[in-house]
Amino acid sequence: MALKPLATNAPWRDERDLKSLVENRTTYTLNNCELNIFETHQKASDVNLSFGDLVLTTMLKGKKVMHLFDKPGFDYLPGESVIVPPHELMKIDFPEAQWDNPTQCIALSISREMIENTFQLLNEKFPEKIWQQEWGLDLNYFHLINSRDLSGVINRFINIGVKERSREKDLIASLALKELLIRLSQTQARDILEKTYRIHSDSNRMAHVVQFIKANIRENLSLDQLSDKACMSKAHFSRSFKKELGISPMEYILDQRLSLAATYLKQGLTQVQEVCFMAGFNNVTYFIRAFKNRFGKTPKAYQNTLP
């Protein structure tokens, strides 16, 4: 499995402070939000949890099986987040939690006012969107793999909630919360685009560009080609792509090539040079460096860790 951008583990509770071995909860209350850190120290099933506000949950350590919207349960792993609407009941299983290896996650409940004000401001300031009509969250796409930027702001928010002691704490948290909502919207937009670009490639310029990238991933793709496909200037296309999806077009191409390389390694291709060129890279040294930066391991080491 490809490594995902992870949020930092929150500090563990001291044994003397634990009130329960299942979903032991520590809460940090801030303006417009509440940061909850949950630790589970023993296996359990059908643990119920709900909040009055929209919640962003993020797995930090261990594994859960999450049941939402009366649908079959799904594995919930570190590097992933789930968006849960207000008053929605989460039914949670903890198949692997142990005393010396607890499961840990955060649940950040965000006030409706903060969400509405943030996205209203974005829609007023940056209304010219290509992929989606406006800024916001689509609760039909609730299970996400964290982007690096989203993981980064989640890490900062944990540090603010747990460690920040200044008088400006609430203001700092409010600014971080606005950034978190932006990064969350961008991460979700990328997820939706990955899942639906084929459907929209004839009617949406961003989806058309993504389809072109995927179909020609082994070619020497340029910003000129992509902006031509979008019928936009290079500057406008680059700004729009980065604004809506959180990464530049060339960063997206690199991400796609690295994901393709990881897929080839999983399929059993053992020659690094072969994987390099099949995934669209033309320099083996650069490929190995980029792969290690993304997955934390060289291609060979990564393949050796696969089941």
Side-chain angles (χ1 to χ4, degrees), residues 2 33 104 117 195 246 297:
C33 65
Q104 188 180 48
N117 289 345
K195 293 174 179 175
K297 298 180 175 67

Side-chain angles (χ1 to χ4, degrees), residues 217-219 253-261 273 275-284 286-288 290-291:
I217 195 65
R218 297 178 186 174
E219 306 300 323
I253 292 171
L254 175 60
D255 189 70
Q256 291 293 302
R257 286 174 172 162
L258 291 171
S259 295
L260 185 58
Q273 186 173 4
V275 172
C276 168
F277 295 129
M278 286 183 65
F281 294 91
N282 56 23
N283 182 291
V284 176
Y286 172 74
F287 164 62
I288 294 173
F291 192 95

Side-chain angles (χ1 to χ4, degrees), residues 72-281:
F74 57 88
D75 288 349
Y76 188 19
L77 303 169
E80 300 176 0
S81 290
V82 170
I83 306 169
V84 185
H87 307 294
E88 179 65 32
L89 181 64
M90 296 174 263
K91 288 183 174 292
I92 309 168
D93 303 331
F94 301 87
E96 299 177 356
Q98 300 176 16
W99 173 250
D100 58 352
N101 188 29
T103 297
Q104 188 180 48
C105 78
I106 67 164
L108 180 64
S109 64
I110 309 171
S111 73
R112 179 178 176 179
E113 181 182 19
M114 171 59 81
I115 295 170
E116 290 179 347
N117 289 345
T118 299
F119 288 133
Q120 180 180 345
L121 178 63
L122 288 167
N123 285 316
E124 290 173 356
K125 296 290 186 181
F126 308 105
E128 297 178 3
K129 298 195 73 180
I130 301 172
W131 167 230
Q132 294 174 303
Q133 292 184 345
E134 60 182 20
W135 293 89
L137 298 175
D138 186 340
L139 295 181
N140 291 310
Y141 297 87
F142 54 86
H143 185 195
L144 305 172
I145 295 176
N146 295 347
S147 67
R148 291 175 183 81
D149 286 336
L150 180 57
S151 285
V153 71
I154 289 172
N155 289 340
R156 291 204 306 277
F157 207 91
I158 292 173
N159 286 329
I160 292 168
V162 175
K163 299 179 181 179
E164 182 67 40
R165 295 291 182 269
S166 70
R167 291 182 300 175
E168 298 82 14
K169 179 174 182 174
D170 280 317
L171 176 59
I172 295 170
S174 292
L175 295 173
L177 191 57
K178 291 179 184 294
E179 182 185 354
L180 186 148
L181 288 169
I182 294 171
R183 300 305 183 190
L184 183 58
S185 181
Q186 290 172 330
T187 300
Q188 188 183 62
R190 284 168 59 185
D191 181 70
I192 296 173
L193 186 58
E194 285 292 311
K195 293 174 179 175
T196 64
Y197 71 91
R198 290 185 181 89
I199 300 172
H200 300 289
S201 61
D202 292 334
S203 59
N204 184 281
R205 285 182 286 182
M206 197 73 79
H208 182 63
V209 169
V210 166
Q211 185 177 54
F212 176 78
I213 290 171
K214 289 178 178 289
N216 297 275
I217 195 65
R218 297 178 186 174
E219 306 300 323
N220 185 23
L221 297 171
S222 69
L223 194 56
D224 285 319
Q225 287 176 296
L226 302 184
S227 58
D228 284 345
K229 289 293 178 182
C231 299
M232 301 167 68
S233 70
K234 284 198 300 183
H236 187 198
F237 171 71
S238 295
R239 284 195 304 269
S240 298
F241 197 100
K242 179 87 182 259
K243 177 180 70 178
E244 294 195 42
L245 303 183
I247 57 175
S248 72
M250 306 318 288
E251 287 172 332
Y252 179 81
I253 292 171
L254 175 60
D255 189 70
Q256 291 293 302
R257 286 174 172 162
L258 291 171
S259 295
L260 185 58
T263 298
Y264 287 141
L265 291 169
K266 291 175 187 177
Q267 292 173 348
L269 293 180
T270 57
Q271 297 300 316
V272 172
Q273 186 173 4
E274 182 183 13
V275 172
C276 168
F277 295 129
M278 286 183 65
F281 294 91

Side-chain angles (χ1 to χ4, degrees), residues 9-36:
N9 286 350
W12 298 110
R13 295 291 300 276
D14 186 274
E15 179 179 354
R16 293 167 296 181
D17 296 332
L18 294 179
K19 297 180 176 63
S20 168
L21 296 183
V22 178
E23 286 296 69
N24 190 78
R25 178 176 180 175
T26 307
T27 300
Y28 302 89
T29 301
L30 301 158
N31 282 351
N32 294 304
C33 65
E34 181 182 84
L35 174 64
N36 299 273

